[in-house]
Amino acid sequence: METHQPCPACGSHDALTIYEDGHSYCFSCNTYFRSSKEEKKLSSGLKKQGLIDLQDMVVSPLPKRKLTKQTCAKYGYFTSKVHGQPVQVACYYDDDNKLLGQKIRYADKTFEARGSFSERFFGQHLFQGGGKKLVITEGEIDCLTVSQVQGNKYPVVSIPTGAASAAKVFRANFNWLESFEEVIVMFDMDDAGRKAVKAVSGILSPKRLKIAWLPCKDPNECLQEGKSDAVVKAVWEAKTYTPADIIKGADLWEVLSKHEESLNYPLPWDIPLQNMTDGLRKGELVVITAGTGIGKTTFVRQLAYHLSTECYCKVGMLMLEENVKHTANGLVCLKLGKPAHRPIIDSEYKKAFEDIMDNFVFYNHFSSIECEDLLQTIRYMVTGEQVDFVVLDHISIAISGLDIENERKATDVLMTKLRALVEETGVGMLVVSHLRRTEGTPAEEGGALSLSHLRGSQAISQLSDAVWGLERNQQDEGVKKNLVRVRVLKNRYSGDTGIAGYLAYDKEHNILNAVKDLSEYEAPECPFDTNETEKGDF
């Protein structure tokens, strides 16, 4: 036995011991070197598994990656040729230093896996477990990098097949990971890396998992840019993992101390609805409901037109019951003050079109509506076209695009996704909802509506910021037939609910006008139950 020999892996001058059977071991970097007999036996087994023979590989430095020969030797990272092509080979070993498999990296950055190592960390064989810190990277090159910048002295490993394999290999090696006081994840600073961090959270015991943040995409990029100190600093300053959706109360002071006035956009009608709601706001979801033929589409079209022309907002129109031509024509005719069903296409019409259309974006659904396409369209309208408000008319058609037979469940799913989209993007959303199809519903005779009349599930009322109902007696005659009562059914903003004013439908101009004097509608008898008294009545 020869002791105090130099180590070819870490460069130590006296830490290597050579044993009588020919194998050697470095007590500085914990590297095991097989004897010639062991190598021969292993080589025979490798050929049977299709693995590259160790005799056909060499340990070389990787200049472009700024990685040394000593670092590559320590981990078993080789260079070789496959079918005449130069390759890099990352070898995966078990705890007894038996080769399990090889990950082959070609020059065009494609990979090939040989053997079986999907549940094994690269470099795991070097560290039998137990210690203060373990760093885990996303790839072998990054593993070599983090080890090298720390003098190849501390435990560093990487996941075997990219970010997607993180959770699987973590679970397979739970006990080994738990033997370290801190498990520091240093995945790539991109979406895949963040998803991988979230995937492994909760697997280890509390406070063991820590996250390291880098100034570059990954550790090796830091090394190439001369920022190796940043990698070391990231290891020692790694923070205990906290899910992004968990916020400690003590961290909320900056949020609470910054008073941000929300911008309120006024409504087009001077009725109590304006005072009760203070108008519309971005980041809120408002549901408009009424019976069939009451005037929901006319109502939301006027809101959209007003937001665009008077509030200078950009509005996305998803009118699922009509084609884009019909929607655009209705908006132009609002500008002209003329009936939408008899447009005259002339120079005046063209000028009105040019005056208003810059602030509208339309969804051309071609009579085919898929829920996910709808949601992606809304997200693009907000992020790509910078719309401030979105009008969705109506939700019953939208849920038909969901592959869910139960209408109530489908409504739950869509409303949850719409609510999340509002929170994510900050867009204001106006959603039209129908009432339940029940004979004798108050909507048919202009009676009072309630949240229980909404069609579908309770998610519509629960997930919305406000619900406005429109009530009109379609069975009446004369001018009374055109009177629409507005009722606030839910109002998260101020809490005020009840009757919120009256509008009169002007059929000639296809528009709703505010009503101040109800006398002409009340004689000889009012179409509504006048003995009702609620906050907001006048």
Side-chain angles (χ1 to χ4, degrees):
M1 182 173 66
E2 298 179 46
T3 59
H4 304 294
Q5 300 298 307
C7 175
C10 67
S12 171
H13 298 291
D14 59 359
L16 184 74
T17 296
I18 303 174
Y19 295 86
E20 293 180 357
D21 64 356
H23 86 274
S24 56
Y25 182 81
C26 177
F27 289 89
S28 175
C29 65
N30 300 315
T31 301
Y32 179 92
F33 298 92
R34 279 177 284 270
S35 66
S36 58
K37 185 178 180 180
E38 288 176 313
E39 291 286 2
K40 185 176 180 181
K41 181 179 179 181
L42 183 60
S43 176
S44 176
L46 294 179
K47 293 179 180 179
K48 294 180 180 179
Q49 300 178 57
L51 301 176
I52 300 175
D53 196 313
L54 295 181
Q55 295 180 357
D56 296 329
M57 299 188 295
V58 296
V59 176
S60 303
L62 304 177
K64 290 184 179 180
R65 296 287 190 168
K66 294 190 174 181
L67 294 173
T68 66
K69 179 179 180 180
Q70 289 79 8
T71 299
C72 295
K74 175 180 175 66
Y75 277 84
Y77 197 88
F78 301 93
T79 58
S80 185
K81 286 189 176 182
V82 174
H83 306 303
Q85 299 183 51
V87 296
Q88 295 174 6
V89 184
C91 291
Y92 283 73
Y93 301 93
D94 66 12
D95 290 341
D96 296 322
N97 289 295
K98 179 183 177 182
L99 186 62
L100 297 173
Q102 296 169 333
K103 186 175 176 182
I104 302 170
R105 186 180 190 274
Y106 291 87
D108 61 0
K109 297 183 179 180
T110 58
F111 293 90
E112 176 188 354
R114 297 184 181 183
S116 178
F117 56 88
S118 63
E119 295 184 351
R120 185 75 174 173
F121 288 103
F122 174 70
Q124 186 174 344
H125 66 289
L126 298 173
F127 316 103
Q128 295 304 312
K132 184 170 179 59
K133 296 178 185 288
L134 170 69
V135 179
I136 302 177
T137 67
E138 196 171 313
E140 294 87 359
I141 293 294
D142 290 327
C143 171
L144 299 176
T145 300
V146 178
S147 178
Q148 180 172 295
V149 299
Q150 297 184 102
N152 291 323
K153 296 178 180 179
Y154 303 107
V156 185
V157 296
S158 68
I159 50 181
T161 53
S165 67
K168 179 181 179 181
V169 72
F170 262 64
R171 291 191 181 96
N173 295 279
F174 174 80
N175 290 332
W176 181 73
L177 293 172
E178 285 283 310
S179 69
F180 293 90
E181 294 180 23
E182 298 178 8
V183 176
I184 302 169
V185 171
M186 192 181 284
F187 292 164
D188 290 359
M189 300 290 105
D190 56 15
D191 288 341
R194 284 190 287 271
K195 288 180 181 178
V197 169
K198 189 172 183 179
V200 301
S201 66
I203 295 177
L204 303 181
S205 57
K207 298 185 179 182
R208 195 175 304 275
L209 183 67
K210 294 184 178 292
I211 310 300
W213 300 95
L214 298 170
C216 302
K217 177 179 177 294
D218 55 49
N220 191 252
E221 187 173 304
C222 288
L223 178 61
Q224 292 183 61
E225 293 186 8
K227 299 177 181 178
S228 57
D229 289 346
V231 177
V232 177
K233 184 178 180 181
V235 172
W236 291 96
E237 294 185 356
K239 304 296 183 183
T240 301
Y241 174 76
T242 302
D245 49 359
I246 298 295
I247 303 175
K248 297 179 181 178
D251 296 334
L252 281 174
W253 173 245
E254 288 189 10
V255 176
L256 293 177
S257 61
K258 292 181 180 178
H259 182 66
E260 298 179 359
E261 290 287 346
S262 59
L263 182 59
N264 300 317
Y265 297 91
L267 303 176
W269 309 285
D270 183 16
I271 59 176
L273 180 64
Q274 172 64 42
N275 294 329
M276 294 170 70
T277 64
D278 212 6
L280 294 168
R281 285 160 292 279
K282 294 173 65 174
E284 293 187 356
L285 191 158
V286 178
V287 172
I288 294 96
T289 188
T292 302
I294 299 297
K296 299 183 295 296
T297 300
T298 301
F299 185 86
V300 295
R301 183 187 295 122
Q302 270 187 255
L303 282 175
Y305 176 81
H306 177 78
L307 287 168
S308 173
T309 58
E310 300 299 325
C311 302
Y312 308 105
C313 294
K314 198 167 187 180
V315 183
M317 304 291 288
L318 296 93
M319 312 298 280
L320 307 184
E321 279 194 316
E322 59 188 29
N323 58 42
V324 171
K325 180 179 178 181
H326 188 91
T327 304
N329 177 64
L331 293 167
V332 174
C333 289
L334 277 175
K335 171 70 175 176
L336 293 171
K338 294 181 178 181
H341 59 285
R342 294 196 300 271
I344 299 175
I345 310 300
D346 55 14
S347 58
E348 184 184 14
Y349 185 96
K350 184 177 180 182
K351 185 178 185 308
F353 171 87
E354 292 172 346
D355 285 345
I356 68 170
M357 279 301 154
D358 278 350
N359 274 348
F360 286 101
V361 179
F362 300 87
Y363 176 44
N364 190 13
H365 52 83
F366 295 106
S367 298
S368 176
I369 302 163
E370 295 292 336
C371 176
E372 289 305 321
D373 289 344
L374 189 71
L375 293 166
Q376 289 178 14
T377 296
I378 296 174
R379 181 176 283 104
Y380 174 77
M381 283 184 171
V382 180
T383 59
E385 298 294 337
Q386 286 80 52
V387 303
D388 301 294
F389 286 87
V390 166
V391 177
L392 174 58
D393 183 8
H394 55 85
I395 194 171
S396 296
I397 292 182
I399 65 173
S400 66
L402 282 169
D403 188 20
I404 301 175
E405 294 183 3
N406 185 295
E407 181 180 348
R408 180 169 297 181
K409 182 178 180 181
T411 305
D412 283 345
V413 171
L414 181 58
M415 278 300 298
T416 300
K417 291 183 177 181
L418 290 175
R419 177 78 251 178
L421 198 57
V422 168
E423 296 296 332
E424 173 194 341
T425 63
V427 70
M429 191 173 293
L430 305 176
V431 177
V432 174
S433 174
H434 283 189
L435 299 174
R436 289 187 289 108
R437 293 178 180 175
T438 305
E439 291 186 9
T441 178
E444 294 180 359
E445 300 175 357
L449 299 178
S450 69
L451 293 175
S452 63
H453 294 131
L454 286 167
R455 180 174 176 176
S457 73
Q458 294 182 351
I460 295 178
S461 60
Q462 291 172 345
L463 297 175
S464 60
D465 292 284
V467 180
W468 302 347
L470 306 180
E471 303 163 354
R472 179 163 69 93
N473 191 345
Q474 300 182 78
Q475 307 306 316
D476 217 323
E477 298 178 356
V479 293
K480 291 188 291 184
K481 184 176 183 178
N482 296 326
L483 185 65
V484 178
R485 180 166 62 186
V486 182
R487 184 184 300 274
V488 176
L489 304 176
K490 178 183 179 181
N491 185 359
R492 188 174 288 169
Y493 179 75
S494 69
D496 290 339
T497 59
I499 297 174
Y502 295 85
L503 303 171
Y505 177 60
D506 181 349
K507 185 176 180 181
E508 181 65 23
H509 300 97
N510 195 30
I511 193 172
L512 291 164
N513 296 311
V515 174
K516 290 293 185 181
D517 185 2
L518 286 175
S519 59
E520 64 176 301
Y521 299 95
E522 292 177 342
E525 58 183 58
C526 179
F528 302 115
D529 43 335
T530 55
N531 61 345
E532 181 181 3
T533 58
E534 296 187 48
K535 187 174 182 180
D537 202 356
F538 51 95

